[in-house]
Amino acid sequence: PVRSLHPYLSNKGLWAQGTAGLRACDGWLVIPVMFRGSVISVQRINADGEKLFWPGAPVKGGHYLLDRPSAAVTVLCEGFSTGLAVYQCMRHARVVVCFDAGNLQPVTNELRPTGSVVFAADNDHGTLARRGMNPGLEKARNAAELIGAGVAYPQGIEGTDYADALKQ
């Protein structure tokens, strides 16, 4: 079990709230990837932010839930630090970490969240400037359309996600 705040999280300006289900191993933060109540993979993150999944293990449709049983809103996002930032700042939210933009739609198809649902999209403005596309926003909008949910994203910040916004 994680006994102290992992350097990756402290470097992001986050704190321990929401980290009870995590593990640490050889300097890596270990996050389970869940699918229908079972662990199907893990994501490891080192202090510098390098992210690795278990080689050969599936991730599609897998997620990590930062749950609050009486949550007023469900927020889906890409990465763990984004999810933890949202969880720590929105006291009435349950957060579903989907691990990457391409997994937002498969997780949405699997979980079919209802009620007040919003996607906390990454704003990949650098990719937009270089390649003419913003995958974080596009994938979030596509997934949100499936269930009639909203999309929120940070603007006017250095960085792309709500963990970056929290640091500023």
Side-chain angles (χ1 to χ4, degrees):
V2 172
R3 303 251 183 246
S4 62
L5 189 61
H6 191 271
Y8 170 72
L9 300 177
S10 61
N11 292 341
K12 292 277 191 175
L14 300 167
W15 56 94
Q17 181 188 13
T19 63
L22 305 182
R23 301 289 183 255
C25 182
D26 297 329
W28 292 85
L29 180 65
V30 181
I31 305 160
V33 179
M34 305 299 293
F35 185 81
R36 298 183 184 170
S38 296
V39 177
I40 59 169
S41 185
V42 295
Q43 182 183 57
R44 296 182 298 151
I45 306 174
N46 71 14
D48 297 325
E50 178 185 9
K51 298 174 181 139
L52 300 170
F53 287 101
W54 192 264
V59 176
K60 186 176 180 179
H63 63 280
Y64 183 77
L65 179 63
L66 294 160
D67 201 11
R68 286 193 173 100
S70 59
V73 63
T74 299
V75 180
L76 290 94
C77 65
E78 289 185 38
F80 181 74
S81 65
T82 301
L84 195 58
V86 171
Y87 184 81
Q88 291 177 354
C89 291
M90 294 181 65
R91 296 185 187 273
H92 300 288
R94 106 182 10 95
V95 179
V96 180
V97 176
C98 300
F99 296 103
D100 65 54
N103 204 30
L104 290 170
Q105 189 164 337
V107 170
T108 302
N109 283 334
E110 177 62 29
L111 298 181
R112 287 295 188 184
T114 59
S116 296
V117 180
V118 66
F119 287 80
D122 283 14
N123 184 0
D124 298 321
H125 48 79
T127 305
L128 179 63
R130 286 189 313 278
R131 297 178 40 204
M133 59 183 280
N134 189 325
L137 281 178
E138 291 172 19
K139 301 282 186 179
R141 287 176 175 148
N142 292 342
E145 190 175 307
L146 290 173
I147 58 172
V151 176
Y153 56 94
Q155 299 179 56
I157 65 163
E158 285 203 28
T160 61
D161 60 40
Y162 283 108
D164 296 328
L166 184 62
K167 276 181 76 171
Q168 295 184 22

